Amino acid sequence: MEKDMQLKRNIGFFVSTSLVIGTVIGSGIFMKPGVVLSATGNSNMALLAWVIGGIITLASGLTMAEVSVNIPKTGGLYTYIEEVYGKTWGFLCGWVQTVVYGPAVIGALGLYFGTLMADFFNFPENSNIIIGIFTVILLALLNMLGTHLGGFVQTASTIGKLIPIVLIATFGLLKGNAAVFNVESSSVQHMSMGAAILATLWAYDGWMNVGFMAGEMKNPAKNLPRAIISGLFIVIIAYLSVNIALLHVLPAQKIVALGPNAASTAAALLFGEVGGKILAVGILISIFGCLNGKILTFPRVPFAMAERGLLPGAKIFSCIHPTLKTPTGATVLQVAIALLMMVFWNPDRLTDMAIFAVMLFYGMSFYAVFLLRKHGKYGDDLYKVPLYPLTPIVAIVGTAYIIVSTLMYSPTDAVFSFVIMFIGLPVYWKMKGKNHSVANRKVS
């Protein structure tokens, strides 16, 4: 689009790097250490899983940056897949994001927030679902009232997410005395490195957005890869530091047992009851802001599809409130599916389901680099992924490993995602035929 090509280029390297960090860091670093330890059974393997997840993420972000600067259109992954592989694959990508990925992410964050809030106020354990559902509905209403309100919440929560990470990592490393390396976390029937890496990818999720700012960057060919490398390197160091700090403060078995509450428990041990409560509030703010950002942005995918007439009920889901100017129909759709998922699945299942659901399309987008270069449709003066072809190959191999591991160790979630994807085919054919008939009637 012409409009996309005329965005004001006023974002420099330091702002770009901070955006990368802010986009990636969310709830995963607080929610997933116990899951990773449980899946690997050993602290060394758990830390290795965080490193491998970071390498896959870094290779993926650098690869996607080349795709994004060569296809300067709005819509993200949905648009890239459609541009390279055609409208059918583009629809399936948007369909999976609409029906599985977006709602599963929102649902998982809502349940995580509810779990920590219930623990913070010593509410009954089963109140986490009620709190999570209420929070999701509240933020959906807030974002439907106007994007400026959602944007304000997002800005205010950014600082909140960094404070607990820095404090836990710093003081945990300095004051802890438990063994960190080669510690058994629990007895597991079978070690699943794939499940562990999949859990870390939830923590690193959000990297897909880092290339979307290319149109607003000063000298994107230089600053975009530097921002991705610098930002993700800082995130990887932060995540490893927090995990090492937790292992230094709490026994590995305790981290597994505490699950989502491990970070707040470690904070209480490090800073006392009052300090622990303050840091627990920071963690809650971090997850609250992350959830707000997802509810703010995810409805844009079904909204774009509905505008093209590619979703049943397109008139409703492409509806923009006449006064508030927000995509109310698409927001209600995403939140309604998320609420159903919150009732029937636990948050860890939802995170695995969400990441797996988009893995196939991530892999396709990475392979698109080879196709774009082969066809030579785009200029040689644009950003090129470093260490080509090694970097995109690492991204593709990492994606394939996660897909195969999930099929082996969580076949139910994998089958569910594939079934939902293929259900999209008859929906696409029906909507395509309907649009074709409408077009013919207008011509005649």
Side-chain angles (χ1 to χ4, degrees), residues 80-122:
Y80 304 154
I81 296 295
E82 182 180 75
E83 181 80 7
V84 177
Y85 297 98
K87 293 185 179 298
T88 301
W89 279 110
F91 171 85
L92 290 177
C93 178
W95 171 261
V96 167
Q97 290 184 83
T98 296
V99 181
V100 181
Y101 177 71
V105 171
I106 292 171
L109 288 170
L111 289 173
Y112 283 140
F113 183 83
T115 298
L116 293 183
M117 183 68 81
D119 180 72
F120 185 83
F121 288 104
N122 294 316

Side-chain angles (χ1 to χ4, degrees), residues 88-157:
T88 301
W89 279 110
F91 171 85
L92 290 177
C93 178
W95 171 261
V96 167
Q97 290 184 83
T98 296
V99 181
V100 181
Y101 177 71
V105 171
I106 292 171
L109 288 170
L111 289 173
Y112 283 140
F113 183 83
T115 298
L116 293 183
M117 183 68 81
D119 180 72
F120 185 83
F121 288 104
N122 294 316
F123 291 149
E125 187 176 344
N126 58 2
S127 64
N128 64 327
I129 296 180
I130 298 173
I131 296 171
I133 288 175
F134 175 79
T135 304
V136 168
I137 293 174
L138 174 66
L139 285 174
L141 292 173
L142 183 68
N143 279 285
M144 284 191 288
L145 287 174
T147 54
H148 63 286
L149 289 175
F152 173 77
V153 172
Q154 196 62 31
T155 302
S157 65

Side-chain angles (χ1 to χ4, degrees), residues 247-271:
L247 287 165
H248 209 31
V249 174
L250 297 169
Q253 296 91 337
K254 187 75 170 177
I255 295 174
V256 173
L258 287 168
N261 296 311
S264 56
T265 301
L269 291 173
L270 289 170
F271 304 104

